[in-house]
Amino acid sequence: MRYECTIPLMKAQDPRITEKFGPLGRILPNASDSLEELRDFFEHAILDVFPELLPENDPRIKLLDCEYFRLSAERHYLEFARRVFRENGGVCYWHTQEFKLGDMQNYLYKIKLMDRIDEMIYSRQFEIREGNVLFRIEDLEILEFAVKYFLRELIGGALFFEKRPLMIVYSYDLSLPVLTENPEDLAHYREIARAAGLYFR
């Protein structure tokens, strides 16, 4: 019997597919650039490891410079993403303008900061035809890869879950903006965040 080792591959999509999504999904290509404006039209919160915005003199702010703290916090975000992924039928869309080969120095820098398994996933994606910035994710490992590199500030963009619309947008310092279409969905996802050890603030 012959076994094959298959590295997960994101599925390149025609960016025009977002026109068929609901109101939140249609803004996916512009989410990272227009976040402030979008908050006027959608329900929003910040997915965070802290329950409130830390004041400037709060000693916990120093934790955000501690690599151990940041990496250990990832498990909560990954658990949140797993639950949301399952609830949305195991499908997610990722819009990113940074996921391309680019200059070799930048590529090597990103590889150096990755876990070995994610390095293999990252390298595999370069077989996707150049120019695509929208991907369909149907593999949990790829979703976890995306979330980790949002948190490690390596690869940006926005993740969109269509079944019960939720958008997670790239940001800094373990604070990821989230958008939903209505207060009920925001409250629902707030409970999932709480169960994963995170907060919507």
Side-chain angles (χ1 to χ4, degrees):
M1 182 177 286
R2 182 177 176 180
Y3 295 94
E4 293 185 8
C5 175
T6 305
I7 297 173
L9 182 66
M10 296 187 299
K11 297 181 178 179
Q13 303 289 299
D14 183 335
R16 290 174 295 184
I17 194 176
T18 60
E19 296 169 8
K20 299 178 181 178
F21 295 161
L24 185 60
R26 281 196 289 272
I27 56 93
L28 179 58
N30 305 310
S32 297
D33 300 325
S34 310
L35 188 58
E36 291 301 319
E37 300 167 26
L38 295 173
R39 288 175 174 167
D40 293 334
F41 301 99
F42 298 100
E43 299 297 316
H44 61 88
I46 300 293
L47 179 64
D48 203 338
V49 71
F50 299 115
E52 72 280 323
L53 182 64
L54 300 180
E56 288 184 22
N57 60 351
D58 193 309
R60 290 176 294 177
I61 288 179
K62 293 181 179 177
L63 288 172
L64 296 174
D65 294 326
C66 173
E67 186 176 12
Y68 174 80
F69 174 77
R70 291 176 63 88
L71 292 175
S72 64
E74 285 181 1
R75 62 190 170 92
H76 299 293
Y77 292 85
L78 292 172
E79 179 58 25
F80 174 77
R82 287 184 201 110
R83 292 177 183 224
V84 172
F85 190 63
R86 284 194 297 267
E87 186 167 296
N88 282 272
V91 175
C92 175
Y93 292 89
W94 185 6
H95 186 276
T96 171
Q97 296 177 325
E98 298 178 40
F99 210 93
K100 50 191 176 184
L101 191 52
D103 66 279
M104 188 55 66
Q105 184 177 1
N106 188 42
Y107 169 72
L108 292 174
Y109 168 74
K110 290 182 179 182
I111 285 292
K112 186 176 78 167
L113 298 175
M114 290 183 178
D115 304 328
R116 179 67 180 135
I117 189 169
D118 294 321
E119 176 187 332
M120 288 189 267
I121 291 172
Y122 185 75
S123 299
R124 174 81 169 94
Q125 309 312 313
F126 295 133
E127 295 184 12
I128 297 173
R129 67 183 184 276
E130 191 175 348
N132 270 283
V133 293
L134 180 67
F135 302 97
R136 179 181 168 100
I137 298 174
E138 297 177 335
D139 188 287
L140 186 57
E141 282 184 291
I142 293 281
L143 177 67
E144 291 178 353
F145 165 84
V147 171
K148 279 189 277 185
Y149 294 102
F150 270 30
L151 298 174
R152 297 181 193 186
E153 300 171 11
L154 292 174
I155 302 171
L159 294 167
F160 175 67
F161 300 87
E162 184 182 14
K163 189 174 178 183
R164 189 164 192 167
L166 172 73
M167 188 171 295
I168 304 174
V169 184
Y170 169 82
S171 191
Y172 302 95
D173 292 333
L174 303 180
S175 300
L176 301 180
V178 294
L179 301 166
T180 66
E181 292 181 359
N182 58 63
E184 294 76 21
D185 284 348
L186 191 69
H188 175 74
Y189 285 121
R190 185 187 303 274
E191 289 304 312
I192 293 178
R194 186 175 292 128
L198 296 172
Y199 305 92
F200 273 16
R201 59 167 178 81

